[in-house]
Amino acid sequence: MAGAATRGRGVKSTVTTQNGNVRLDLTYTIPEPPTSLKPVGQARWYQIADIMVERGTWSLDWIPALEHMCRIFDQAAIIDLAISKLDSYVSYSNQGVPKTHPLITERLKLDVFLQNQLNCFNLTPVTAKASFLPALGKGAATSIRNTTQIAFQDE
């Protein structure tokens, strides 16, 4: 079966038919991630691409979508950092009505996008949290910050 890909190098995998007569050698090359990606995006680049190589679904056609998704992971990490520094997860409208802080709303939108993209890549987040906050308060943001720690499982 397919082997794990290495950074910027090709990986050979061999498939042999049941009768053993036909042998097919495939080489999968995962390019280095764009230098503009931050560490979170780079880590996701290799993680997702390695899974796709293992499954035999990797293609260079996936690169633009993978790059876009990794940029969103970077953006989510920046928002997570900003959320961790908030004093309150509640903000108030001009009329004084309490509402969810805009950073939390934006982070939830990114979660929805990332989950949809992972579905396009046929990856399933195992530890995906609910896409809403059941209560506003300091403990509520824990589930938001943990969504960047997504683990994947084979389907």
Side-chain angles (χ1 to χ4, degrees), residues 6-124:
T6 56
R7 298 178 179 191
R9 296 188 307 185
V11 175
K12 283 197 166 201
S13 65
T14 303
V15 178
T16 307
T17 61
Q18 290 179 351
N19 62 11
N21 291 337
V22 177
R23 185 173 167 178
L24 175 64
D25 291 325
L26 301 172
T27 302
Y28 298 94
T29 302
I30 298 188
E32 292 290 330
T35 56
S36 59
L37 287 179
K38 295 179 179 22
V40 171
Q42 290 179 1
R44 293 296 183 185
W45 177 278
Y46 291 118
Q47 181 185 24
I48 293 168
D50 283 347
I51 291 169
M52 293 179 73
V53 166
E54 285 291 326
R55 292 180 179 178
T57 59
W58 175 254
S59 166
L60 294 178
D61 297 335
W62 286 107
I63 290 177
L66 180 59
E67 180 179 351
H68 186 215
M69 186 167 53
C70 290
R71 289 191 193 288
I72 299 300
F73 273 116
D74 281 340
Q75 187 177 354
I78 292 168
I79 290 175
D80 286 343
L81 182 62
I83 288 172
S84 70
K85 295 178 181 179
L86 291 176
D87 293 331
S88 172
Y89 301 117
V90 178
S91 62
Y92 296 91
S93 68
N94 293 339
Q95 292 79 25
V97 177
K99 62 179 186 172
T100 305
H101 194 283
L103 283 175
I104 293 175
T105 304
E106 182 63 23
R107 182 60 172 94
L108 294 174
K109 289 178 184 177
L110 293 179
D111 281 346
V112 169
F113 173 81
L114 289 171
Q115 288 175 358
N116 287 335
Q117 284 297 104
L118 290 171
N119 286 337
C120 290
F121 281 83
N122 290 322
L123 299 173
T124 306

